[in-house]
Amino acid sequence: MIGLVAVTAAGKQAAATLANRWSETKPYLGQRPGDALRQAFAECDQVVCFLAVGATVRLIAPLLRGRDTTPGLVCVDEQRRYAVPVLGGHSGAANELADRVADELGGTAVITTATDARNLPGLDTLGWATEGAVASVTRAILDGEPVRLSSDAIWPLPAFPANVGATGSHRIVITDRQVSLDGRTVVLRPPALQVGLGASRGVSSAEILALIDSAVNAAGLSPLAIAQLCTVDVKAAEPGIVEAARLRSWPVLTYPAERLAEIDVPHPSDLVRRKIGTPSVAEAAALAGGGELVVAKQKSRRATVAVARVRPRGRLALVGLGPGARDLLTPRAVTELRRCSVVVGLDQYVDQIRDLLRPGTRVDTYSLGEERQRARAAVRLAEDGHAVALVGSGDTGVYAMAAPALEEAGQNIDVVPVPGVTAALSAAALLGAPLGHDHAAVSLSDLHTPWEVIERRVRAAAEGDFVITFYNPRSRNRDWQLSKALGIVAGHRPPQTPVGVVRAAERPDQTIMMTTLADLDVSTVDMVTTVVVGSSQTRIVNGRMVTPRGYRWES
Ligand code: SAH
């Protein structure tokens, strides 16, 4: 719940705007501001306060508790110009809340947490539980002191700067095991543990939680590394399970009994098989997502638990960078570039976005023509557990790396698609609206496709009266294909059919040319050019290439 605290008329109006647009808000308006803040702090996870930062700080001073129990707090000024995260920038997600508030109210978020200002990932921004000296280790990272990173496994973390490595007196430990804390250690708890749970009807949440905690602790593990509870379908609505999950914010994953019955477990039970249809619930459910059993079945009166540890799933983001202009790079692409620790791509594309990468990001560049190796390398890195971004111009799914990568990729990684603005779309937009009706794209590169196939497709598109976008139209070694293709089209369309030629779209050396099928000089076309050939309906309207939407052209 987001509390909205306001006292002035303008503040109340701004609060009402947010309350109208967001469902998860609660207003605190009719009281003295100190009382309103106290109540909001007690009841909400986040608070937006329409008061000066100074006034707010005085009022909240007596309310401050530990980092994890204090709500994220954002202050907004009377003119709605600035949204300032005052407390819990990371831990209370106040930085993101400030961004959302600024978006809604038309202002700017003023982010002051040091890691964000320095382009470093915050230790508490991963969505993972943290323990220990977050502030002191963060300061060591910012100050460039050596910080030792140790991890039980490779997790898909964002990049850390170069001073985070094999040595240092400050430590980041990534583990599901118990660690003794000192003032210089942060423990990040990865979501590694799968708790399999069986229960008899009427089990209490307290019994379940006590059993889970004691089983996990006895094995030297941390309950903070529990990713989810897993059980059998028929127990999905068991109140004690639902409540236990709610209390700890664990998701519950359920499996059909037949699925659990297929899983090999160390301690099957005939009794359970007769009652539920699977010889194991707890151990089988813990193991159903893969991984190894780290706590064998343990029982209390009405509950049974077992715990498995899963291997990290790496991430492969397929990031289309668009045609080149920075403002045609999508915000999601930027997020993924800053989320990854390894970037794989052609050097010229990586150069386009190098400034966005976090310090310490590993960059594996390749030169043209090594597509298979590049795709395979990216997939292998993700399979090892890394967060990888495979980048390419336009969209990576269009004549690019996504297809070879997905041919290689198994189900053991998460694939994160980030569509990009393609060459066809950026060229078309610069020409006008040539793709206003049915269109086809054809690559004229016969390096991977026999020319007869290409020719057949060009002929089919020409016969079908599709607008045709030619990719890879012409290079030094492939100099006759474009003329040949245009000759085929000319057999089906008048010589004055409009043709748009866009070179280096959305790059500093962009050129745009409009001509006709009869007049196109193919020597002006190279490998950074996209050629758009109109259909029989395409017209030039006031210097812009337009293909009408209707099936009938009304003149
Ligand atoms: N994945 C890319 C296409 C790669 S194929 C995309 O979605 O856009 C390479 C071809 O794309 C080039 O030969 C050229 O025809 C076209 N192309 C790529 N970038 C371009 C640009 N900025 N301007 C014009 N054409 C471009």
Side-chain angles (χ1 to χ4, degrees), residues 322-324 349 392-400 420-424 426-427 470-473 478 502-507 526-531:
Y349 301 134
S393 82
D395 182 272
T396 58
V398 177
Y399 304 120
V421 177
T422 63
S426 48
F470 287 112
Y471 278 80
N472 302 306
R478 291 187 303 100
V502 180
R503 189 178 175 282
E506 303 293 345
R507 297 185 193 166
D526 66 6
M527 275 302 277
V528 284
T529 307
T530 296
V531 177

PDB file of all heavy atoms in Angstrom, residues 322-324 349 392-400 420-424 426-427 470-473 478 502-507 526-531, ligand 1:
ATOM      1  N   GLY A 322      18.044  -1.112 -32.391  1.00  0.00           N
ATOM      2  CA  GLY A 322      17.461  -0.127 -33.299  1.00  0.00           C
ATOM      3  C   GLY A 322      18.468   0.266 -34.364  1.00  0.00           C
ATOM      4  O   GLY A 322      19.568  -0.288 -34.437  1.00  0.00           O
ATOM      5  N   PRO A 323      18.111   1.236 -35.203  1.00  0.00           N
ATOM      6  CA  PRO A 323      18.955   1.566 -36.351  1.00  0.00           C
ATOM      7  C   PRO A 323      20.250   2.300 -35.980  1.00  0.00           C
ATOM      8  O   PRO A 323      21.192   2.307 -36.762  1.00  0.00           O
ATOM      9  CB  PRO A 323      18.055   2.469 -37.198  1.00  0.00           C
ATOM     10  CG  PRO A 323      17.083   3.051 -36.219  1.00  0.00           C
ATOM     11  CD  PRO A 323      16.850   1.994 -35.185  1.00  0.00           C
ATOM     12  N   GLY A 324      20.303   2.939 -34.841  1.00  0.00           N
ATOM     13  CA  GLY A 324      21.540   3.637 -34.483  1.00  0.00           C
ATOM     14  C   GLY A 324      21.307   4.830 -33.575  1.00  0.00           C
ATOM     15  O   GLY A 324      22.040   5.026 -32.625  1.00  0.00           O
ATOM     16  N   TYR A 349      28.359  -2.578 -33.266  1.00  0.00           N
ATOM     17  CA  TYR A 349      27.121  -2.350 -32.510  1.00  0.00           C
ATOM     18  C   TYR A 349      27.431  -2.137 -31.034  1.00  0.00           C
ATOM     19  O   TYR A 349      26.816  -1.304 -30.381  1.00  0.00           O
ATOM     20  CB  TYR A 349      26.155  -3.517 -32.691  1.00  0.00           C
ATOM     21  CG  TYR A 349      25.799  -3.739 -34.135  1.00  0.00           C
ATOM     22  CD1 TYR A 349      25.792  -4.994 -34.703  1.00  0.00           C
ATOM     23  CD2 TYR A 349      25.494  -2.639 -34.937  1.00  0.00           C
ATOM     24  CE1 TYR A 349      25.492  -5.175 -36.039  1.00  0.00           C
ATOM     25  CE2 TYR A 349      25.193  -2.812 -36.277  1.00  0.00           C
ATOM     26  CZ  TYR A 349      25.196  -4.082 -36.828  1.00  0.00           C
ATOM     27  OH  TYR A 349      24.900  -4.246 -38.132  1.00  0.00           O
ATOM     28  N   GLY A 392      22.357  -6.612 -31.266  1.00  0.00           N
ATOM     29  CA  GLY A 392      22.456  -6.477 -32.714  1.00  0.00           C
ATOM     30  C   GLY A 392      21.659  -5.270 -33.169  1.00  0.00           C
ATOM     31  O   GLY A 392      20.823  -4.757 -32.417  1.00  0.00           O
ATOM     32  N   SER A 393      21.907  -4.842 -34.393  1.00  0.00           N
ATOM     33  CA  SER A 393      21.202  -3.656 -34.885  1.00  0.00           C
ATOM     34  C   SER A 393      19.749  -4.013 -35.185  1.00  0.00           C
ATOM     35  O   SER A 393      19.403  -5.181 -35.370  1.00  0.00           O
ATOM     36  CB  SER A 393      21.875  -3.126 -36.144  1.00  0.00           C
ATOM     37  OG  SER A 393      21.441  -3.864 -37.258  1.00  0.00           O
ATOM     38  N   GLY A 394      18.911  -3.000 -35.220  1.00  0.00           N
ATOM     39  CA  GLY A 394      17.499  -3.236 -35.517  1.00  0.00           C
ATOM     40  C   GLY A 394      16.903  -4.146 -34.464  1.00  0.00           C
ATOM     41  O   GLY A 394      16.990  -3.876 -33.266  1.00  0.00           O
ATOM     42  N   ASP A 395      16.334  -5.247 -34.923  1.00  0.00           N
ATOM     43  CA  ASP A 395      15.793  -6.255 -34.027  1.00  0.00           C
ATOM     44  C   ASP A 395      16.634  -7.515 -34.186  1.00  0.00           C
ATOM     45  O   ASP A 395      16.996  -7.874 -35.310  1.00  0.00           O
ATOM     46  CB  ASP A 395      14.337  -6.538 -34.425  1.00  0.00           C
ATOM     47  CG  ASP A 395      13.702  -7.556 -33.497  1.00  0.00           C
ATOM     48  OD1 ASP A 395      13.809  -8.762 -33.767  1.00  0.00           O
ATOM     49  OD2 ASP A 395      13.116  -7.125 -32.494  1.00  0.00           O
ATOM     50  N   THR A 396      16.930  -8.191 -33.074  1.00  0.00           N
ATOM     51  CA  THR A 396      17.819  -9.358 -33.199  1.00  0.00           C
ATOM     52  C   THR A 396      17.103 -10.559 -33.824  1.00  0.00           C
ATOM     53  O   THR A 396      17.744 -11.534 -34.178  1.00  0.00           O
ATOM     54  CB  THR A 396      18.391  -9.806 -31.833  1.00  0.00           C
ATOM     55  OG1 THR A 396      17.315 -10.104 -30.973  1.00  0.00           O
ATOM     56  CG2 THR A 396      19.284  -8.753 -31.232  1.00  0.00           C
ATOM     57  N   GLY A 397      15.780 -10.475 -33.957  1.00  0.00           N
ATOM     58  CA  GLY A 397      15.055 -11.579 -34.570  1.00  0.00           C
ATOM     59  C   GLY A 397      14.962 -11.459 -36.083  1.00  0.00           C
ATOM     60  O   GLY A 397      14.461 -12.359 -36.747  1.00  0.00           O
ATOM     61  N   VAL A 398      15.399 -10.339 -36.657  1.00  0.00           N
ATOM     62  CA  VAL A 398      15.238 -10.088 -38.089  1.00  0.00           C
ATOM     63  C   VAL A 398      16.596 -10.184 -38.780  1.00  0.00           C
ATOM     64  O   VAL A 398      17.457  -9.317 -38.573  1.00  0.00           O
ATOM     65  CB  VAL A 398      14.612  -8.693 -38.314  1.00  0.00           C
ATOM     66  CG1 VAL A 398      14.512  -8.385 -39.805  1.00  0.00           C
ATOM     67  CG2 VAL A 398      13.225  -8.642 -37.679  1.00  0.00           C
ATOM     68  N   TYR A 399      16.792 -11.212 -39.576  1.00  0.00           N
ATOM     69  CA  TYR A 399      18.074 -11.464 -40.255  1.00  0.00           C
ATOM     70  C   TYR A 399      19.232 -11.263 -39.282  1.00  0.00           C
ATOM     71  O   TYR A 399      20.181 -10.520 -39.575  1.00  0.00           O
ATOM     72  CB  TYR A 399      18.261 -10.544 -41.465  1.00  0.00           C
ATOM     73  CG  TYR A 399      17.156 -10.632 -42.479  1.00  0.00           C
ATOM     74  CD1 TYR A 399      16.389  -9.524 -42.800  1.00  0.00           C
ATOM     75  CD2 TYR A 399      16.872 -11.831 -43.117  1.00  0.00           C
ATOM     76  CE1 TYR A 399      15.372  -9.601 -43.738  1.00  0.00           C
ATOM     77  CE2 TYR A 399      15.853 -11.924 -44.055  1.00  0.00           C
ATOM     78  CZ  TYR A 399      15.107 -10.807 -44.364  1.00  0.00           C
ATOM     79  OH  TYR A 399      14.100 -10.897 -45.273  1.00  0.00           O
ATOM     80  N   ALA A 400      19.152 -11.873 -38.119  1.00  0.00           N
ATOM     81  CA  ALA A 400      20.185 -11.579 -37.118  1.00  0.00           C
ATOM     82  C   ALA A 400      20.342 -12.744 -36.150  1.00  0.00           C
ATOM     83  O   ALA A 400      20.017 -13.875 -36.467  1.00  0.00           O
ATOM     84  CB  ALA A 400      19.837 -10.275 -36.405  1.00  0.00           C
ATOM     85  N   GLY A 420      13.551  -4.518 -31.176  1.00  0.00           N
ATOM     86  CA  GLY A 420      14.152  -3.244 -31.568  1.00  0.00           C
ATOM     87  C   GLY A 420      13.486  -2.708 -32.822  1.00  0.00           C
ATOM     88  O   GLY A 420      12.764  -3.426 -33.515  1.00  0.00           O
ATOM     89  N   VAL A 421      13.727  -1.441 -33.106  1.00  0.00           N
ATOM     90  CA  VAL A 421      13.190  -0.806 -34.316  1.00  0.00           C
ATOM     91  C   VAL A 421      14.021  -1.291 -35.504  1.00  0.00           C
ATOM     92  O   VAL A 421      15.229  -1.056 -35.556  1.00  0.00           O
ATOM     93  CB  VAL A 421      13.257   0.734 -34.211  1.00  0.00           C
ATOM     94  CG1 VAL A 421      12.775   1.377 -35.497  1.00  0.00           C
ATOM     95  CG2 VAL A 421      12.450   1.212 -33.015  1.00  0.00           C
ATOM     96  N   THR A 422      13.389  -1.975 -36.437  1.00  0.00           N
ATOM     97  CA  THR A 422      14.135  -2.597 -37.536  1.00  0.00           C
ATOM     98  C   THR A 422      14.536  -1.580 -38.602  1.00  0.00           C
ATOM     99  O   THR A 422      13.993  -0.472 -38.663  1.00  0.00           O
ATOM    100  CB  THR A 422      13.274  -3.670 -38.227  1.00  0.00           C
ATOM    101  OG1 THR A 422      12.146  -3.002 -38.798  1.00  0.00           O
ATOM    102  CG2 THR A 422      12.813  -4.731 -37.262  1.00  0.00           C
ATOM    103  N   ALA A 423      15.446  -2.018 -39.469  1.00  0.00           N
ATOM    104  CA  ALA A 423      15.849  -1.188 -40.606  1.00  0.00           C
ATOM    105  C   ALA A 423      14.639  -0.897 -41.481  1.00  0.00           C
ATOM    106  O   ALA A 423      14.459   0.235 -41.960  1.00  0.00           O
ATOM    107  CB  ALA A 423      16.930  -1.893 -41.413  1.00  0.00           C
ATOM    108  N   ALA A 424      13.782  -1.890 -41.685  1.00  0.00           N
ATOM    109  CA  ALA A 424      12.603  -1.668 -42.535  1.00  0.00           C
ATOM    110  C   ALA A 424      11.716  -0.578 -41.937  1.00  0.00           C
ATOM    111  O   ALA A 424      11.252   0.321 -42.648  1.00  0.00           O
ATOM    112  CB  ALA A 424      11.803  -2.964 -42.678  1.00  0.00           C
ATOM    113  N   SER A 426      12.540   1.825 -39.701  1.00  0.00           N
ATOM    114  CA  SER A 426      13.123   3.172 -39.664  1.00  0.00           C
ATOM    115  C   SER A 426      13.232   3.743 -41.066  1.00  0.00           C
ATOM    116  O   SER A 426      12.950   4.920 -41.290  1.00  0.00           O
ATOM    117  CB  SER A 426      14.459   3.189 -38.915  1.00  0.00           C
ATOM    118  OG  SER A 426      15.278   2.158 -39.348  1.00  0.00           O
ATOM    119  N   ALA A 427      13.584   2.901 -42.065  1.00  0.00           N
ATOM    120  CA  ALA A 427      13.660   3.394 -43.441  1.00  0.00           C
ATOM    121  C   ALA A 427      12.271   3.821 -43.915  1.00  0.00           C
ATOM    122  O   ALA A 427      12.096   4.902 -44.490  1.00  0.00           O
ATOM    123  CB  ALA A 427      14.222   2.307 -44.355  1.00  0.00           C
ATOM    124  N   PHE A 470      13.956  -4.672 -49.462  1.00  0.00           N
ATOM    125  CA  PHE A 470      15.147  -5.475 -49.702  1.00  0.00           C
ATOM    126  C   PHE A 470      16.204  -5.179 -48.638  1.00  0.00           C
ATOM    127  O   PHE A 470      16.661  -4.040 -48.511  1.00  0.00           O
ATOM    128  CB  PHE A 470      15.735  -5.205 -51.093  1.00  0.00           C
ATOM    129  CG  PHE A 470      14.897  -5.797 -52.201  1.00  0.00           C
ATOM    130  CD1 PHE A 470      14.220  -4.967 -53.089  1.00  0.00           C
ATOM    131  CD2 PHE A 470      14.782  -7.173 -52.343  1.00  0.00           C
ATOM    132  CE1 PHE A 470      13.446  -5.517 -54.112  1.00  0.00           C
ATOM    133  CE2 PHE A 470      13.997  -7.724 -53.364  1.00  0.00           C
ATOM    134  CZ  PHE A 470      13.324  -6.893 -54.250  1.00  0.00           C
ATOM    135  N   TYR A 471      16.541  -6.213 -47.861  1.00  0.00           N
ATOM    136  CA  TYR A 471      17.663  -6.151 -46.923  1.00  0.00           C
ATOM    137  C   TYR A 471      18.906  -6.681 -47.632  1.00  0.00           C
ATOM    138  O   TYR A 471      18.798  -7.422 -48.608  1.00  0.00           O
ATOM    139  CB  TYR A 471      17.408  -7.053 -45.715  1.00  0.00           C
ATOM    140  CG  TYR A 471      16.539  -6.460 -44.616  1.00  0.00           C
ATOM    141  CD1 TYR A 471      15.157  -6.423 -44.715  1.00  0.00           C
ATOM    142  CD2 TYR A 471      17.126  -5.960 -43.447  1.00  0.00           C
ATOM    143  CE1 TYR A 471      14.369  -5.921 -43.695  1.00  0.00           C
ATOM    144  CE2 TYR A 471      16.347  -5.457 -42.418  1.00  0.00           C
ATOM    145  CZ  TYR A 471      14.966  -5.435 -42.548  1.00  0.00           C
ATOM    146  OH  TYR A 471      14.208  -4.936 -41.529  1.00  0.00           O
ATOM    147  N   ASN A 472      20.071  -6.362 -47.091  1.00  0.00           N
ATOM    148  CA  ASN A 472      21.350  -6.832 -47.652  1.00  0.00           C
ATOM    149  C   ASN A 472      21.355  -6.698 -49.179  1.00  0.00           C
ATOM    150  O   ASN A 472      21.649  -7.655 -49.897  1.00  0.00           O
ATOM    151  CB  ASN A 472      21.590  -8.305 -47.285  1.00  0.00           C
ATOM    152  CG  ASN A 472      21.597  -8.522 -45.786  1.00  0.00           C
ATOM    153  OD1 ASN A 472      22.334  -7.858 -45.053  1.00  0.00           O
ATOM    154  ND2 ASN A 472      20.770  -9.423 -45.308  1.00  0.00           N
ATOM    155  N   PRO A 473      21.034  -5.505 -49.707  1.00  0.00           N
ATOM    156  CA  PRO A 473      20.753  -5.420 -51.142  1.00  0.00           C
ATOM    157  C   PRO A 473      21.995  -5.557 -52.034  1.00  0.00           C
ATOM    158  O   PRO A 473      21.890  -6.103 -53.130  1.00  0.00           O
ATOM    159  CB  PRO A 473      20.135  -4.031 -51.301  1.00  0.00           C
ATOM    160  CG  PRO A 473      20.658  -3.247 -50.133  1.00  0.00           C
ATOM    161  CD  PRO A 473      20.818  -4.227 -49.011  1.00  0.00           C
ATOM    162  N   ARG A 478      28.774  -8.763 -53.943  1.00  0.00           N
ATOM    163  CA  ARG A 478      27.453  -9.186 -54.436  1.00  0.00           C
ATOM    164  C   ARG A 478      26.841  -7.998 -55.157  1.00  0.00           C
ATOM    165  O   ARG A 478      26.049  -7.250 -54.599  1.00  0.00           O
ATOM    166  CB  ARG A 478      26.565  -9.625 -53.272  1.00  0.00           C
ATOM    167  CG  ARG A 478      27.016 -10.930 -52.619  1.00  0.00           C
ATOM    168  CD  ARG A 478      26.012 -11.424 -51.580  1.00  0.00           C
ATOM    169  NE  ARG A 478      25.763 -10.413 -50.549  1.00  0.00           N
ATOM    170  CZ  ARG A 478      24.713  -9.625 -50.523  1.00  0.00           C
ATOM    171  NH1 ARG A 478      23.778  -9.713 -51.444  1.00  0.00           N
ATOM    172  NH2 ARG A 478      24.586  -8.737 -49.571  1.00  0.00           N
ATOM    173  N   VAL A 502      17.136   4.132 -48.581  1.00  0.00           N
ATOM    174  CA  VAL A 502      17.584   4.799 -47.351  1.00  0.00           C
ATOM    175  C   VAL A 502      18.902   4.184 -46.930  1.00  0.00           C
ATOM    176  O   VAL A 502      19.014   2.971 -46.725  1.00  0.00           O
ATOM    177  CB  VAL A 502      16.551   4.642 -46.216  1.00  0.00           C
ATOM    178  CG1 VAL A 502      17.055   5.336 -44.963  1.00  0.00           C
ATOM    179  CG2 VAL A 502      15.210   5.216 -46.655  1.00  0.00           C
ATOM    180  N   ARG A 503      19.897   5.055 -46.838  1.00  0.00           N
ATOM    181  CA  ARG A 503      21.222   4.596 -46.441  1.00  0.00           C
ATOM    182  C   ARG A 503      21.516   5.103 -45.038  1.00  0.00           C
ATOM    183  O   ARG A 503      21.218   6.256 -44.718  1.00  0.00           O
ATOM    184  CB  ARG A 503      22.251   5.144 -47.444  1.00  0.00           C
ATOM    185  CG  ARG A 503      23.594   4.565 -47.234  1.00  0.00           C
ATOM    186  CD  ARG A 503      24.690   4.975 -48.163  1.00  0.00           C
ATOM    187  NE  ARG A 503      25.862   4.322 -47.613  1.00  0.00           N
ATOM    188  CZ  ARG A 503      26.509   4.779 -46.555  1.00  0.00           C
ATOM    189  NH1 ARG A 503      26.142   5.904 -45.958  1.00  0.00           N
ATOM    190  NH2 ARG A 503      27.532   4.089 -46.074  1.00  0.00           N
ATOM    191  N   ALA A 504      22.061   4.242 -44.193  1.00  0.00           N
ATOM    192  CA  ALA A 504      22.461   4.634 -42.836  1.00  0.00           C
ATOM    193  C   ALA A 504      21.341   5.362 -42.094  1.00  0.00           C
ATOM    194  O   ALA A 504      21.541   6.426 -41.514  1.00  0.00           O
ATOM    195  CB  ALA A 504      23.731   5.476 -42.868  1.00  0.00           C
ATOM    196  N   ALA A 505      20.165   4.761 -42.127  1.00  0.00           N
ATOM    197  CA  ALA A 505      19.007   5.370 -41.459  1.00  0.00           C
ATOM    198  C   ALA A 505      19.326   5.672 -39.999  1.00  0.00           C
ATOM    199  O   ALA A 505      19.908   4.843 -39.303  1.00  0.00           O
ATOM    200  CB  ALA A 505      17.812   4.413 -41.524  1.00  0.00           C
ATOM    201  N   GLU A 506      18.942   6.866 -39.567  1.00  0.00           N
ATOM    202  CA  GLU A 506      19.081   7.271 -38.158  1.00  0.00           C
ATOM    203  C   GLU A 506      20.524   7.235 -37.669  1.00  0.00           C
ATOM    204  O   GLU A 506      20.785   7.052 -36.488  1.00  0.00           O
ATOM    205  CB  GLU A 506      18.189   6.398 -37.258  1.00  0.00           C
ATOM    206  CG  GLU A 506      16.721   6.414 -37.639  1.00  0.00           C
ATOM    207  CD  GLU A 506      16.052   7.766 -37.421  1.00  0.00           C
ATOM    208  OE1 GLU A 506      16.638   8.619 -36.716  1.00  0.00           O
ATOM    209  OE2 GLU A 506      14.959   7.976 -37.957  1.00  0.00           O
ATOM    210  N   ARG A 507      21.442   7.392 -38.602  1.00  0.00           N
ATOM    211  CA  ARG A 507      22.849   7.549 -38.222  1.00  0.00           C
ATOM    212  C   ARG A 507      23.318   8.888 -38.769  1.00  0.00           C
ATOM    213  O   ARG A 507      22.654   9.470 -39.632  1.00  0.00           O
ATOM    214  CB  ARG A 507      23.687   6.407 -38.804  1.00  0.00           C
ATOM    215  CG  ARG A 507      23.247   5.052 -38.242  1.00  0.00           C
ATOM    216  CD  ARG A 507      24.114   3.911 -38.704  1.00  0.00           C
ATOM    217  NE  ARG A 507      23.451   2.646 -38.369  1.00  0.00           N
ATOM    218  CZ  ARG A 507      23.796   1.468 -38.846  1.00  0.00           C
ATOM    219  NH1 ARG A 507      24.824   1.363 -39.676  1.00  0.00           N
ATOM    220  NH2 ARG A 507      23.137   0.386 -38.495  1.00  0.00           N
ATOM    221  N   ASP A 526      24.411   0.238 -50.990  1.00  0.00           N
ATOM    222  CA  ASP A 526      25.450  -0.604 -50.386  1.00  0.00           C
ATOM    223  C   ASP A 526      24.860  -1.416 -49.234  1.00  0.00           C
ATOM    224  O   ASP A 526      23.639  -1.527 -49.114  1.00  0.00           O
ATOM    225  CB  ASP A 526      26.645   0.248 -49.938  1.00  0.00           C
ATOM    226  CG  ASP A 526      26.262   1.181 -48.800  1.00  0.00           C
ATOM    227  OD1 ASP A 526      25.118   1.091 -48.298  1.00  0.00           O
ATOM    228  OD2 ASP A 526      27.114   2.002 -48.403  1.00  0.00           O
ATOM    229  N   MET A 527      25.733  -1.959 -48.395  1.00  0.00           N
ATOM    230  CA  MET A 527      25.262  -2.875 -47.352  1.00  0.00           C
ATOM    231  C   MET A 527      24.595  -2.196 -46.156  1.00  0.00           C
ATOM    232  O   MET A 527      24.043  -2.874 -45.296  1.00  0.00           O
ATOM    233  CB  MET A 527      26.421  -3.754 -46.864  1.00  0.00           C
ATOM    234  CG  MET A 527      26.630  -4.990 -47.715  1.00  0.00           C
ATOM    235  SD  MET A 527      25.165  -6.035 -47.793  1.00  0.00           S
ATOM    236  CE  MET A 527      25.350  -6.966 -46.268  1.00  0.00           C
ATOM    237  N   VAL A 528      24.693  -0.875 -46.052  1.00  0.00           N
ATOM    238  CA  VAL A 528      23.925  -0.234 -44.973  1.00  0.00           C
ATOM    239  C   VAL A 528      22.685   0.455 -45.547  1.00  0.00           C
ATOM    240  O   VAL A 528      22.185   1.415 -44.990  1.00  0.00           O
ATOM    241  CB  VAL A 528      24.749   0.782 -44.133  1.00  0.00           C
ATOM    242  CG1 VAL A 528      25.661   0.048 -43.195  1.00  0.00           C
ATOM    243  CG2 VAL A 528      25.466   1.768 -44.986  1.00  0.00           C
ATOM    244  N   THR A 529      22.233  -0.075 -46.683  1.00  0.00           N
ATOM    245  CA  THR A 529      21.077   0.534 -47.340  1.00  0.00           C
ATOM    246  C   THR A 529      19.894  -0.424 -47.308  1.00  0.00           C
ATOM    247  O   THR A 529      20.062  -1.638 -47.427  1.00  0.00           O
ATOM    248  CB  THR A 529      21.426   0.847 -48.809  1.00  0.00           C
ATOM    249  OG1 THR A 529      22.616   1.619 -48.849  1.00  0.00           O
ATOM    250  CG2 THR A 529      20.300   1.597 -49.499  1.00  0.00           C
ATOM    251  N   THR A 530      18.713   0.142 -47.134  1.00  0.00           N
ATOM    252  CA  THR A 530      17.483  -0.620 -47.281  1.00  0.00           C
ATOM    253  C   THR A 530      16.716  -0.034 -48.461  1.00  0.00           C
ATOM    254  O   THR A 530      16.586   1.188 -48.578  1.00  0.00           O
ATOM    255  CB  THR A 530      16.649  -0.538 -45.995  1.00  0.00           C
ATOM    256  OG1 THR A 530      17.397  -1.165 -44.950  1.00  0.00           O
ATOM    257  CG2 THR A 530      15.319  -1.267 -46.136  1.00  0.00           C
ATOM    258  N   VAL A 531      16.244  -0.914 -49.342  1.00  0.00           N
ATOM    259  CA  VAL A 531      15.535  -0.474 -50.545  1.00  0.00           C
ATOM    260  C   VAL A 531      14.081  -0.884 -50.420  1.00  0.00           C
ATOM    261  O   VAL A 531      13.787  -2.063 -50.189  1.00  0.00           O
ATOM    262  CB  VAL A 531      16.159  -1.115 -51.808  1.00  0.00           C
ATOM    263  CG1 VAL A 531      15.368  -0.718 -53.057  1.00  0.00           C
ATOM    264  CG2 VAL A 531      17.629  -0.718 -51.936  1.00  0.00           C
TER     265      VAL A 531
HETATM  266  N1  SAH B   1      18.552  -6.997 -37.603  1.00  0.00           N
HETATM  267  C1  SAH B   1      18.600  -5.898 -38.534  1.00  0.00           C
HETATM  268  C2  SAH B   1      18.883  -6.334 -39.956  1.00  0.00           C
HETATM  269  C3  SAH B   1      20.227  -6.968 -40.158  1.00  0.00           C
HETATM  270  S1  SAH B   1      20.541  -7.410 -41.825  1.00  0.00           S
HETATM  271  C4  SAH B   1      17.280  -5.130 -38.425  1.00  0.00           C
HETATM  272  O1  SAH B   1      16.348  -5.588 -37.789  1.00  0.00           O
HETATM  273  O2  SAH B   1      17.227  -4.027 -38.962  1.00  0.00           O
HETATM  274  C5  SAH B   1      21.558  -6.064 -42.343  1.00  0.00           C
HETATM  275  C6  SAH B   1      20.824  -5.206 -43.351  1.00  0.00           C
HETATM  276  O3  SAH B   1      19.889  -4.374 -42.674  1.00  0.00           O
HETATM  277  C7  SAH B   1      21.700  -4.230 -44.100  1.00  0.00           C
HETATM  278  O4  SAH B   1      22.333  -4.831 -45.216  1.00  0.00           O
HETATM  279  C8  SAH B   1      20.707  -3.187 -44.542  1.00  0.00           C
HETATM  280  O5  SAH B   1      19.952  -3.642 -45.642  1.00  0.00           O
HETATM  281  C9  SAH B   1      19.776  -3.127 -43.338  1.00  0.00           C
HETATM  282  N2  SAH B   1      20.150  -2.060 -42.396  1.00  0.00           N
HETATM  283  C10 SAH B   1      20.641  -2.228 -41.161  1.00  0.00           C
HETATM  284  N3  SAH B   1      20.818  -1.026 -40.563  1.00  0.00           N
HETATM  285  C11 SAH B   1      20.421  -0.091 -41.445  1.00  0.00           C
HETATM  286  C12 SAH B   1      20.355   1.335 -41.415  1.00  0.00           C
HETATM  287  N4  SAH B   1      20.714   2.033 -40.328  1.00  0.00           N
HETATM  288  N5  SAH B   1      19.893   1.980 -42.515  1.00  0.00           N
HETATM  289  C13 SAH B   1      19.487   1.284 -43.592  1.00  0.00           C
HETATM  290  N6  SAH B   1      19.533  -0.037 -43.662  1.00  0.00           N
HETATM  291  C14 SAH B   1      20.001  -0.738 -42.618  1.00  0.00           C
END
